[in-house]
Amino acid sequence: MISENKTLDKVYTAKDHDELMDAYGEWANEYEKDTVDRFGYVAHIESADAFEQVMSHKGAYILDAGCGTGLVGKELSQRGYQKVDALDCSEQMLGEARDKKVYHELFQADMSKRLEFEDNRYDAVICTGTFTYGHVQADAFEELVRITKPGGIICFTIREGAFDDCGYQEKMAEMEHGQSWEQVALVDATYFVKEKVSCKICTYRVTA
Ligand SMILES: C[S@@+](CC[C@H](N)C(=O)[O-])C[C@H]1O[C@@H](n2cnc3c(N)ncnc32)[C@H](O)[C@@H]1O
């Protein structure tokens, strides 16, 4: 069992992508116990609620990017969404997600690179807990836009601190000025209840 501090330390201080994947690989089967039970992680619930406010069509084809163990997929399934794919870089996290039996297809892929999906594949993308320190950088927004249909929705969290420190806001604004997407909502939400950490939930509509 990994201790509370070691767990977070390993994930947040990973020096590169391989170290991050090692950390998630070790953490996968304890991830939910640590994040939800110990730290009071609620971002998956908050983001599913925000997503539902803008995407009422329950038959929409959705990608849960950075799905982890499938907490978001479970929330979407409980809200009636019927066709949700999952993508994550970590084989072990994807394995946990697969066991939930809430996903249509699951893909192991690196969101920092070009994804092997055709343009305009999805009606919507949701991405929770993955735009944060040492994880996926702002450049990945471009790929999310490419694989989402014009008029489709992209909804993601950005952890407090990382929102100001990691260039996400600048990229979001640049893409709005470049008419790649338009902002639908930007709200403060709780990330970890017990640790008193917040996040932004950002919702964009891909320009038609
Ligand atoms: C904090 S977890 C969030 C998981 C899930 N969305 C949730 O809300 O519980 C971050 C996830 O991002 C994944 N991840 C990190 N870097 C990635 C990358 N470059 N490409 C794809 N997934 C990545 C990790 O493997 C991990 O499962």
PDB file of all heavy atoms in Angstrom, residues 11-30:
ATOM      1  N   VAL A  11       3.252  10.986  -8.403  1.00  0.00           N
ATOM      2  CA  VAL A  11       2.500  11.458  -9.567  1.00  0.00           C
ATOM      3  C   VAL A  11       2.868  12.903  -9.898  1.00  0.00           C
ATOM      4  O   VAL A  11       3.089  13.248 -11.056  1.00  0.00           O
ATOM      5  CB  VAL A  11       0.986  11.294  -9.321  1.00  0.00           C
ATOM      6  CG1 VAL A  11       0.170  12.078 -10.335  1.00  0.00           C
ATOM      7  CG2 VAL A  11       0.605   9.818  -9.385  1.00  0.00           C
ATOM      8  N   TYR A  12       2.957  13.755  -8.866  1.00  0.00           N
ATOM      9  CA  TYR A  12       3.177  15.176  -9.139  1.00  0.00           C
ATOM     10  C   TYR A  12       4.636  15.560  -9.344  1.00  0.00           C
ATOM     11  O   TYR A  12       4.929  16.644  -9.830  1.00  0.00           O
ATOM     12  CB  TYR A  12       2.522  16.038  -8.054  1.00  0.00           C
ATOM     13  CG  TYR A  12       1.021  16.103  -8.239  1.00  0.00           C
ATOM     14  CD1 TYR A  12       0.155  15.532  -7.325  1.00  0.00           C
ATOM     15  CD2 TYR A  12       0.480  16.701  -9.372  1.00  0.00           C
ATOM     16  CE1 TYR A  12      -1.218  15.560  -7.513  1.00  0.00           C
ATOM     17  CE2 TYR A  12      -0.885  16.732  -9.576  1.00  0.00           C
ATOM     18  CZ  TYR A  12      -1.728  16.163  -8.644  1.00  0.00           C
ATOM     19  OH  TYR A  12      -3.078  16.197  -8.849  1.00  0.00           O
ATOM     20  N   THR A  13       5.574  14.670  -8.964  1.00  0.00           N
ATOM     21  CA  THR A  13       6.988  15.024  -9.161  1.00  0.00           C
ATOM     22  C   THR A  13       7.634  14.178 -10.254  1.00  0.00           C
ATOM     23  O   THR A  13       8.844  14.240 -10.427  1.00  0.00           O
ATOM     24  CB  THR A  13       7.806  14.856  -7.854  1.00  0.00           C
ATOM     25  OG1 THR A  13       7.765  13.475  -7.489  1.00  0.00           O
ATOM     26  CG2 THR A  13       7.260  15.708  -6.725  1.00  0.00           C
ATOM     27  N   ALA A  14       6.840  13.398 -10.955  1.00  0.00           N
ATOM     28  CA  ALA A  14       7.397  12.580 -12.049  1.00  0.00           C
ATOM     29  C   ALA A  14       8.188  13.496 -12.983  1.00  0.00           C
ATOM     30  O   ALA A  14       7.702  14.561 -13.374  1.00  0.00           O
ATOM     31  CB  ALA A  14       6.260  11.892 -12.792  1.00  0.00           C
ATOM     32  N   LYS A  15       9.407  13.056 -13.315  1.00  0.00           N
ATOM     33  CA  LYS A  15      10.277  13.933 -14.113  1.00  0.00           C
ATOM     34  C   LYS A  15       9.949  13.863 -15.601  1.00  0.00           C
ATOM     35  O   LYS A  15      10.266  14.758 -16.354  1.00  0.00           O
ATOM     36  CB  LYS A  15      11.752  13.556 -13.888  1.00  0.00           C
ATOM     37  CG  LYS A  15      12.253  14.018 -12.510  1.00  0.00           C
ATOM     38  CD  LYS A  15      13.765  13.971 -12.405  1.00  0.00           C
ATOM     39  CE  LYS A  15      14.324  12.585 -12.186  1.00  0.00           C
ATOM     40  NZ  LYS A  15      13.863  11.941 -10.936  1.00  0.00           N
ATOM     41  N   ASP A  16       9.333  12.775 -16.004  1.00  0.00           N
ATOM     42  CA  ASP A  16       8.973  12.660 -17.418  1.00  0.00           C
ATOM     43  C   ASP A  16       7.762  11.722 -17.552  1.00  0.00           C
ATOM     44  O   ASP A  16       7.246  11.198 -16.568  1.00  0.00           O
ATOM     45  CB  ASP A  16      10.161  12.161 -18.254  1.00  0.00           C
ATOM     46  CG  ASP A  16      10.733  10.856 -17.717  1.00  0.00           C
ATOM     47  OD1 ASP A  16       9.953  10.053 -17.154  1.00  0.00           O
ATOM     48  OD2 ASP A  16      11.950  10.636 -17.841  1.00  0.00           O
ATOM     49  N   HIS A  17       7.369  11.541 -18.785  1.00  0.00           N
ATOM     50  CA  HIS A  17       6.164  10.756 -19.053  1.00  0.00           C
ATOM     51  C   HIS A  17       6.312   9.307 -18.566  1.00  0.00           C
ATOM     52  O   HIS A  17       5.370   8.738 -18.009  1.00  0.00           O
ATOM     53  CB  HIS A  17       5.871  10.803 -20.555  1.00  0.00           C
ATOM     54  CG  HIS A  17       4.646  10.066 -20.950  1.00  0.00           C
ATOM     55  ND1 HIS A  17       3.373  10.505 -20.627  1.00  0.00           N
ATOM     56  CD2 HIS A  17       4.492   8.900 -21.613  1.00  0.00           C
ATOM     57  CE1 HIS A  17       2.492   9.631 -21.089  1.00  0.00           C
ATOM     58  NE2 HIS A  17       3.139   8.658 -21.679  1.00  0.00           N
ATOM     59  N   ASP A  18       7.504   8.733 -18.748  1.00  0.00           N
ATOM     60  CA  ASP A  18       7.705   7.341 -18.319  1.00  0.00           C
ATOM     61  C   ASP A  18       7.554   7.205 -16.806  1.00  0.00           C
ATOM     62  O   ASP A  18       6.936   6.255 -16.314  1.00  0.00           O
ATOM     63  CB  ASP A  18       9.096   6.835 -18.745  1.00  0.00           C
ATOM     64  CG  ASP A  18       9.176   6.642 -20.248  1.00  0.00           C
ATOM     65  OD1 ASP A  18       8.112   6.591 -20.891  1.00  0.00           O
ATOM     66  OD2 ASP A  18      10.302   6.550 -20.774  1.00  0.00           O
ATOM     67  N   GLU A  19       8.109   8.162 -16.078  1.00  0.00           N
ATOM     68  CA  GLU A  19       7.975   8.118 -14.610  1.00  0.00           C
ATOM     69  C   GLU A  19       6.516   8.284 -14.194  1.00  0.00           C
ATOM     70  O   GLU A  19       6.038   7.646 -13.259  1.00  0.00           O
ATOM     71  CB  GLU A  19       8.807   9.236 -13.952  1.00  0.00           C
ATOM     72  CG  GLU A  19      10.241   8.842 -13.718  1.00  0.00           C
ATOM     73  CD  GLU A  19      10.962   9.778 -12.754  1.00  0.00           C
ATOM     74  OE1 GLU A  19      10.316  10.542 -12.016  1.00  0.00           O
ATOM     75  OE2 GLU A  19      12.200   9.735 -12.762  1.00  0.00           O
ATOM     76  N   LEU A  20       5.805   9.148 -14.919  1.00  0.00           N
ATOM     77  CA  LEU A  20       4.383   9.355 -14.604  1.00  0.00           C
ATOM     78  C   LEU A  20       3.593   8.062 -14.835  1.00  0.00           C
ATOM     79  O   LEU A  20       2.760   7.664 -14.012  1.00  0.00           O
ATOM     80  CB  LEU A  20       3.808  10.490 -15.461  1.00  0.00           C
ATOM     81  CG  LEU A  20       2.360  10.870 -15.163  1.00  0.00           C
ATOM     82  CD1 LEU A  20       2.235  11.542 -13.787  1.00  0.00           C
ATOM     83  CD2 LEU A  20       1.792  11.788 -16.229  1.00  0.00           C
ATOM     84  N   MET A  21       3.911   7.403 -15.947  1.00  0.00           N
ATOM     85  CA  MET A  21       3.197   6.147 -16.245  1.00  0.00           C
ATOM     86  C   MET A  21       3.557   5.049 -15.238  1.00  0.00           C
ATOM     87  O   MET A  21       2.703   4.255 -14.858  1.00  0.00           O
ATOM     88  CB  MET A  21       3.497   5.703 -17.681  1.00  0.00           C
ATOM     89  CG  MET A  21       2.824   6.567 -18.732  1.00  0.00           C
ATOM     90  SD  MET A  21       1.011   6.636 -18.557  1.00  0.00           S
ATOM     91  CE  MET A  21       0.748   8.303 -17.956  1.00  0.00           C
ATOM     92  N   ASP A  22       4.813   5.035 -14.779  1.00  0.00           N
ATOM     93  CA  ASP A  22       5.193   4.074 -13.726  1.00  0.00           C
ATOM     94  C   ASP A  22       4.370   4.338 -12.464  1.00  0.00           C
ATOM     95  O   ASP A  22       3.884   3.408 -11.816  1.00  0.00           O
ATOM     96  CB  ASP A  22       6.684   4.225 -13.363  1.00  0.00           C
ATOM     97  CG  ASP A  22       7.580   3.596 -14.412  1.00  0.00           C
ATOM     98  OD1 ASP A  22       7.052   2.883 -15.286  1.00  0.00           O
ATOM     99  OD2 ASP A  22       8.804   3.829 -14.351  1.00  0.00           O
ATOM    100  N   ALA A  23       4.241   5.629 -12.143  1.00  0.00           N
ATOM    101  CA  ALA A  23       3.501   5.994 -10.921  1.00  0.00           C
ATOM    102  C   ALA A  23       2.039   5.549 -11.034  1.00  0.00           C
ATOM    103  O   ALA A  23       1.488   4.949 -10.103  1.00  0.00           O
ATOM    104  CB  ALA A  23       3.587   7.502 -10.691  1.00  0.00           C
ATOM    105  N   TYR A  24       1.421   5.808 -12.179  1.00  0.00           N
ATOM    106  CA  TYR A  24       0.018   5.388 -12.341  1.00  0.00           C
ATOM    107  C   TYR A  24      -0.109   3.866 -12.408  1.00  0.00           C
ATOM    108  O   TYR A  24      -1.083   3.295 -11.926  1.00  0.00           O
ATOM    109  CB  TYR A  24      -0.612   6.050 -13.571  1.00  0.00           C
ATOM    110  CG  TYR A  24      -1.163   7.421 -13.255  1.00  0.00           C
ATOM    111  CD1 TYR A  24      -0.577   8.576 -13.763  1.00  0.00           C
ATOM    112  CD2 TYR A  24      -2.263   7.566 -12.410  1.00  0.00           C
ATOM    113  CE1 TYR A  24      -1.076   9.835 -13.454  1.00  0.00           C
ATOM    114  CE2 TYR A  24      -2.758   8.831 -12.096  1.00  0.00           C
ATOM    115  CZ  TYR A  24      -2.159   9.953 -12.621  1.00  0.00           C
ATOM    116  OH  TYR A  24      -2.655  11.197 -12.294  1.00  0.00           O
ATOM    117  N   GLY A  25       0.895   3.238 -13.003  1.00  0.00           N
ATOM    118  CA  GLY A  25       0.875   1.776 -13.069  1.00  0.00           C
ATOM    119  C   GLY A  25       0.835   1.153 -11.679  1.00  0.00           C
ATOM    120  O   GLY A  25       0.095   0.209 -11.426  1.00  0.00           O
ATOM    121  N   GLU A  26       1.643   1.715 -10.774  1.00  0.00           N
ATOM    122  CA  GLU A  26       1.670   1.203  -9.389  1.00  0.00           C
ATOM    123  C   GLU A  26       0.405   1.572  -8.628  1.00  0.00           C
ATOM    124  O   GLU A  26      -0.005   0.873  -7.707  1.00  0.00           O
ATOM    125  CB  GLU A  26       2.854   1.828  -8.631  1.00  0.00           C
ATOM    126  CG  GLU A  26       4.190   1.223  -8.958  1.00  0.00           C
ATOM    127  CD  GLU A  26       5.316   1.951  -8.224  1.00  0.00           C
ATOM    128  OE1 GLU A  26       5.069   2.470  -7.112  1.00  0.00           O
ATOM    129  OE2 GLU A  26       6.416   2.015  -8.778  1.00  0.00           O
ATOM    130  N   TRP A  27      -0.181   2.700  -9.003  1.00  0.00           N
ATOM    131  CA  TRP A  27      -1.275   3.266  -8.215  1.00  0.00           C
ATOM    132  C   TRP A  27      -2.654   2.743  -8.629  1.00  0.00           C
ATOM    133  O   TRP A  27      -3.621   2.827  -7.854  1.00  0.00           O
ATOM    134  CB  TRP A  27      -1.239   4.796  -8.362  1.00  0.00           C
ATOM    135  CG  TRP A  27      -2.016   5.568  -7.346  1.00  0.00           C
ATOM    136  CD1 TRP A  27      -2.480   5.134  -6.131  1.00  0.00           C
ATOM    137  CD2 TRP A  27      -2.418   6.936  -7.469  1.00  0.00           C
ATOM    138  NE1 TRP A  27      -3.141   6.148  -5.482  1.00  0.00           N
ATOM    139  CE2 TRP A  27      -3.111   7.266  -6.280  1.00  0.00           C
ATOM    140  CE3 TRP A  27      -2.248   7.915  -8.452  1.00  0.00           C
ATOM    141  CZ2 TRP A  27      -3.650   8.535  -6.059  1.00  0.00           C
ATOM    142  CZ3 TRP A  27      -2.769   9.185  -8.223  1.00  0.00           C
ATOM    143  CH2 TRP A  27      -3.464   9.484  -7.036  1.00  0.00           C
ATOM    144  N   ALA A  28      -2.748   2.173  -9.849  1.00  0.00           N
ATOM    145  CA  ALA A  28      -4.051   1.909 -10.472  1.00  0.00           C
ATOM    146  C   ALA A  28      -5.071   1.237  -9.549  1.00  0.00           C
ATOM    147  O   ALA A  28      -6.209   1.691  -9.438  1.00  0.00           O
ATOM    148  CB  ALA A  28      -3.860   1.092 -11.745  1.00  0.00           C
ATOM    149  N   ASN A  29      -4.646   0.184  -8.854  1.00  0.00           N
ATOM    150  CA  ASN A  29      -5.682  -0.531  -8.081  1.00  0.00           C
ATOM    151  C   ASN A  29      -5.991   0.106  -6.728  1.00  0.00           C
ATOM    152  O   ASN A  29      -6.915  -0.325  -6.044  1.00  0.00           O
ATOM    153  CB  ASN A  29      -5.372  -2.033  -7.962  1.00  0.00           C
ATOM    154  CG  ASN A  29      -4.103  -2.289  -7.191  1.00  0.00           C
ATOM    155  OD1 ASN A  29      -3.439  -1.355  -6.767  1.00  0.00           O
ATOM    156  ND2 ASN A  29      -3.762  -3.549  -7.032  1.00  0.00           N
ATOM    157  N   GLU A  30      -5.227   1.143  -6.360  1.00  0.00           N
ATOM    158  CA  GLU A  30      -5.532   1.871  -5.113  1.00  0.00           C
ATOM    159  C   GLU A  30      -6.026   3.290  -5.413  1.00  0.00           C
ATOM    160  O   GLU A  30      -6.353   4.039  -4.485  1.00  0.00           O
ATOM    161  CB  GLU A  30      -4.273   1.989  -4.239  1.00  0.00           C
ATOM    162  CG  GLU A  30      -3.687   0.664  -3.769  1.00  0.00           C
ATOM    163  CD  GLU A  30      -4.505   0.027  -2.649  1.00  0.00           C
ATOM    164  OE1 GLU A  30      -5.300   0.745  -2.018  1.00  0.00           O
ATOM    165  OE2 GLU A  30      -4.348  -1.183  -2.429  1.00  0.00           O
TER     166      GLU A  30
END
